[in-house]
Every structure is written in structure tokens, then in C-alpha cells.
Amino acid sequence: MNDLDEKDRLLLGALRADARMSLIELTRHVGLSRSAVHERIRRLEANGVIAGYTVKLGTERERPGVEALIAIGFQPGRNCDHIVPHLSGIPNVVTCWSLAGPTDLMLLVECGSNAELDTIRRQIATTPGIATVQTHVSLRTHFDRR
């Protein structure tokens, strides 16, 4: 995103705030013509800067009952190529980040209960190549800019 200009950044900020903003609203926000804004959006999508559009759930009752971060350490000689394919098959694992440092992977897990989280955690812990699993249950979300 280093080669983005100020208009691109304004456009991305507006879309992040409201991805359903109309093209006319975007033109007013960015200060460009409709065709220029449309072309910028097309270019940002084609270059992978905009990877997609999604729905963000707003109220607690629409969010999963339990969110947890699970920190994973690999067994010696193992890497993401060995582990990630196993984890990608677990639907409750909604995000998987590779990290530098003592933790090799960090997972965001969403599920309906602590009992379900325990089952998912056990499934992760028994994945071949995983040495350590630490679970951190989220108590409250103060803000989320995703």
C-alpha cells in the first residue's frame, strides 16, 4: 500500500467505514468524478488492495458466544506448511496469523460455548507437529477496526 496516493487513502477509509457507500457518496467524499472513483476502485481490487467486502456484526447477541486467541508453538522441524492445512479445515478457526518470536501461529477462534472451545482446543492440540497450545479467552471487545 506504499504507492497509494491521498485520494486512494481517502477512498479506502470511506469504504472501511461503510463498504456499502454509494459511488455518488464516494465521489463527494474523495472529490473526484464518478468515473475516476470507479476506476480507482477497480484498480485497487485488481491489485489486491481491496480483497473483498464483508458484513460486520454489530451487536453482542449476533456475535459468537466465545472468542479466543490460541497461541501455537511448533515441534522442531515443523513449519506452517505442515500445520496450516490441518487448521484450515476447522471451521471455528476464523483467522490464522504467522508470528515472529516464540509463538509460531496465533488463531482467532469463534464458537458458541466454553465446552465447544474446549473441543476445538483439543482438536488443535492433537494436530501433528504442534508442541504447545495456549488459549486466551476474550472477555470483552473494546474496539474492532476489522
Side-chain angles (χ1 to χ4, degrees):
M1 287 194 8
N2 292 338
D3 58 341
L4 301 179
D5 66 16
E6 183 61 27
K7 297 292 186 180
D8 288 335
R9 284 192 269 291
L10 282 171
L11 183 58
L12 290 171
L15 287 171
R16 255 190 123 161
D18 181 3
R20 293 185 56 170
M21 192 176 286
S22 73
L23 198 53
I24 291 173
E25 289 174 298
L26 290 170
T27 63
R28 289 182 193 130
H29 185 79
V30 177
L32 294 173
S33 70
R34 188 175 168 155
S35 60
V37 169
H38 185 265
E39 176 57 29
R40 280 177 184 264
I41 291 172
R42 190 205 59 74
R43 179 179 45 81
L44 292 167
E45 290 171 342
N47 292 340
V49 176
I50 296 175
Y53 302 87
T54 188
V55 171
K56 183 175 177 181
L57 300 177
T59 64
E60 288 300 318
R61 81 186 122 96
E62 295 162 336
R63 297 181 74 97
V66 177
E67 289 181 311
L69 292 171
I70 298 181
I72 293 174
F74 298 157
Q75 292 174 348
R78 297 298 181 152
N79 62 43
C80 292
D81 294 337
H82 301 112
I83 309 296
V84 172
H86 295 281
L87 301 176
S88 67
I90 303 172
N92 296 86
V93 176
V94 296
T95 307
C96 175
W97 297 280
S98 295
L99 302 180
T103 299
D104 294 302
L105 289 177
M106 185 66 72
L107 310 178
L108 174 60
V109 175
E110 297 178 346
C111 54
S113 67
N114 284 337
E116 187 179 1
L117 176 60
D118 184 50
T119 300
I120 295 162
R121 186 194 185 289
R122 289 172 195 239
Q123 184 179 2
I124 291 167
T126 59
T127 300
I130 291 181
T132 61
V133 177
Q134 294 181 331
T135 304
H136 308 275
V137 176
S138 170
L139 299 177
R140 178 173 57 158
T141 301
H142 294 277
F143 65 88
D144 183 351
R145 292 191 175 114
R146 285 181 287 151

